[in-house]
């Protein structure tokens, strides 16, 4: 599916007769793999150990060193807790008729975070291909911050909104086909 942080799993294709026309139904799930998180935590642990050693080598007194080491341990535990919760989070991208739906899933609990009418899409393309679009902030519905992310700009109630996500090649094709069909 792409870089090591994501894995596309599960797709469900079919056709439904909605509103008298054949509509595409497609789902895919993008989730974070644990290996990059584990490597990051190992690197963080090593940097904390080095910082603790350097404070000892610099001759920091016992009380200050104890406070410093305690702060490092608390920070490490906080980051581990956050990493654990990040590893459980994934996104499900769906196209149903002329709607693109994005659900954030924590465990088995889905939460709808975006619902976009395909006819409202103004721009859909890879990040970095359009410099003007790349500079504007938007929501991030990916499990990574690497290359291969796509940007979608759409109109919602008279104002433009934007978000980033990492669809598979099949999903990209489905979105382009839906844009042709519903525009």
């Amino acid at each position: 599916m792409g870089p090591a942080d994501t894995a596309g799993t599960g797709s469900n294709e079919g056709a439904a007769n909605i509103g008298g026309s054949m509509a595409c139904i497609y789902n895919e799930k993008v989730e974070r793999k644990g290996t990059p998180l584990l490597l990051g935590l190992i690197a963080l642990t090593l940097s904390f150990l080095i910082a603790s050693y350097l404070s000892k080598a610099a001759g920091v007194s016992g009380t200050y060193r104890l406070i410093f080491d305690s702060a490092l341990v608390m920070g490490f535990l906080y980051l581990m807790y956050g990493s654990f919760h990040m590893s459980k989070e994934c996104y499900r991208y769906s196209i149903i008729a002329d709607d693109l739906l994005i659900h954030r899933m924590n465990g088995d609990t889905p939460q709808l975070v975006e619902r976009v009418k395909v006819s409202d899409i103004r721009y859909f393309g890879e990040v970095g291909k359009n410099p003007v679009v790349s500079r504007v902030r938007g929501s991030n519905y990916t499990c990574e911050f690497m290359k291969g992310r796509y940007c979608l700009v759409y109109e919602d109630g008279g104002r433009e909104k934007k978000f980033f996500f990492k669809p598979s090649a099949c999903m990209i094709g489905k979105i382009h086909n839906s844009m042709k069909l519903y525009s």
Side-chain angles (χ1 to χ4, degrees):
M1 159 101 186
D5 284 23
T6 62
T9 59
S11 65
N12 179 14
E13 287 187 79
N17 192 355
I18 300 174
S21 64
M22 294 301 282
C24 174
I25 297 174
Y26 182 79
N27 289 309
E28 71 182 28
K29 188 175 178 182
V30 179
E31 52 193 7
R32 188 181 310 267
K33 288 188 177 179
T35 306
L37 288 174
L38 182 62
L39 292 176
L41 285 175
I42 290 171
L44 186 65
T45 302
L46 289 175
S47 65
F48 283 163
L49 289 173
I50 290 170
S52 179
Y53 175 77
L54 290 176
S55 71
K56 182 180 180 181
V60 176
S61 71
T63 305
Y64 291 118
R65 211 167 128 249
L66 179 65
I67 293 170
F68 180 71
D69 287 347
S70 297
L72 287 177
V73 167
M74 294 301 288
F76 178 74
L77 291 175
Y78 176 76
L79 291 173
M80 276 189 62
Y81 178 77
S83 296
F84 174 72
H85 281 286
M86 280 179 24
S87 68
K88 289 175 43 178
E89 185 175 88
C90 63
Y91 291 95
R92 186 177 71 210
Y93 311 138
S94 305
I95 296 179
I96 301 173
D98 67 337
D99 287 329
L100 172 63
L101 306 171
I102 298 184
H103 289 88
R104 177 182 292 123
M105 300 180 68
N106 288 324
D108 291 332
T109 309
Q111 174 190 5
L112 182 66
V113 291
E114 291 286 343
R115 181 183 197 127
V116 178
K117 291 280 188 198
V118 174
S119 58
D120 292 338
I121 296 175
R122 301 291 172 246
Y123 173 79
F124 173 64
E126 195 168 354
V127 172
K129 301 291 184 184
N130 187 338
V132 174
V133 171
S134 297
R135 282 188 237 134
V136 181
R137 279 189 60 107
S139 300
N140 186 29
Y141 303 127
T142 65
C143 291
E144 64 175 51
F145 302 99
M146 302 294 199
K147 292 181 182 178
R149 291 186 314 154
Y150 275 72
C151 175
L152 191 137
V153 178
Y154 66 100
E155 190 173 318
D156 181 33
R159 48 181 264 233
E160 282 192 347
K161 289 187 172 182
K162 159 182 166 173
F163 65 84
F164 300 98
F165 68 126
K166 180 132 172 97
S168 67
C170 187
M171 176 64 93
I172 292 167
K174 299 285 183 191
I175 292 171
H176 282 297
N177 289 340
S178 294
M179 286 173 66
K180 289 177 189 172
L181 182 65
Y182 292 106
S183 57

